[in-house]
């Protein structure tokens, strides 16, 4: 048991990638990130946020290997707990995000510069090639399709009871 656990943790530490940060671009009114060479984005006006017991999920549109666009969720855990997050735990971080989107960094950080130390990891999820072109293609797709979450995505997020 000890050998298997140690081996598993060692592999996890070696191959774990630190996720790219989620960027809120006020100039272009976009939210974007990337994961495993896939670009994800959405506009401020059509941004989807879902709260559940795992935390807050930001829904972004992304490209895939077939050059199609699909919806993906990025999990944000404001409390740092992987499970049993209360909806009240998401209120303050959500308020900060919304205040930043509307008023900018000066409305959120008032006591000097804000710098957060990145987590320790051996690999970082690097920005994909042709990032700007791919980001612009996603934004163009969102504009031509009307953006927002399609009904089938919303249906898959919630069960038939509407929870």
């Amino acid at each position: 048991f000890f050998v298997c656990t140690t081996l598993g943790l060692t592999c996890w530490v070696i191959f774990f990638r630190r996720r790219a940060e989620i960027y809120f671009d006020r100039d272009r009114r976009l939210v974007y990130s990337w994961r495993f060479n896939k670009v994800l984005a959405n506009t401020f006006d059509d941004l989807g946020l879902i709260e559940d017991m795992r935390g807050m999920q930001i829904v972004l549109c992304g490209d895939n290997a077939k050059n199609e666009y699909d919806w993906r969720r990025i999990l944000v855990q404001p409390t740092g707990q992987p499970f049993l997050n209360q909806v009240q735990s998401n209120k303050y971080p959500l308020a900060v995000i919304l205040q930043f989107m509307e008023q900018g960094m000066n409305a959120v950080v008032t006591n000097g510069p804000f710098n957060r130390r990145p987590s320790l990891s051996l690999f970082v999820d690097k920005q994909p090639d042709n990032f700007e072109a791919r980001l612009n293609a996603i934004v163009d797709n969102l504009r031509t399709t009307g953006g927002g979450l399609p009904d089938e995505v919303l249906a898959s997020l919630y069960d038939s009871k509407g929870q």
Side-chain angles (χ1 to χ4, degrees):
F1 175 77
F2 178 73
V3 173
C4 290
T5 303
T6 305
L7 184 61
L9 286 175
T10 302
C11 289
W12 181 75
V13 167
I14 291 173
F15 296 111
F16 179 76
R17 288 186 187 190
R18 186 177 72 217
R19 291 183 178 206
E21 295 179 357
I22 302 168
Y23 294 91
F24 291 82
D25 187 343
R26 290 191 69 239
D27 295 332
R28 296 190 282 182
R29 297 190 54 80
L30 292 176
V31 178
Y32 60 87
S33 187
W34 56 86
R35 181 85 172 134
F36 295 118
N37 203 29
K38 292 176 177 43
V39 179
L40 308 166
N42 205 347
T43 62
F44 277 11
D45 298 327
D46 295 323
L47 187 62
L49 293 170
I50 300 165
E51 296 177 312
D52 64 8
M53 64 183 258
R54 292 184 296 159
M56 185 169 48
Q57 299 176 49
I58 299 175
V59 183
L60 302 176
C61 183
D63 58 358
N64 60 23
K66 299 177 185 176
N67 290 326
E68 298 172 349
Y69 299 100
D70 54 3
W71 294 93
R72 304 197 183 209
R73 296 177 283 175
I74 296 179
L75 181 63
V76 178
Q77 298 169 325
T79 62
Q81 300 174 7
F83 299 105
L84 303 175
N85 289 289
Q86 300 295 321
V87 174
Q88 295 82 8
S89 302
N90 298 328
K91 287 187 179 190
Y92 179 74
L94 182 58
V96 170
I97 289 171
L98 294 175
Q99 189 174 14
F100 171 77
M101 288 169 59
E102 292 298 321
Q103 300 171 7
M105 182 65 81
N106 293 334
V108 178
V109 180
T110 58
N111 298 335
F114 175 74
N115 294 313
R116 182 178 61 94
R117 190 184 73 184
S119 62
L120 179 65
S121 60
L122 297 177
F123 299 105
V124 177
D125 206 355
K126 294 181 182 176
Q127 189 176 37
D129 297 332
N130 301 328
F131 175 75
E132 285 298 325
R134 292 168 66 183
L135 180 63
N136 291 332
I138 292 170
V139 171
D140 290 341
N141 178 60
L142 289 170
R143 288 190 181 125
T144 58
T145 60
L149 292 173
D151 292 337
E152 61 269 11
V153 172
L154 289 173
S156 70
L157 296 175
Y158 298 101
D159 62 8
S160 61
K161 295 178 183 176
Q163 294 181 2

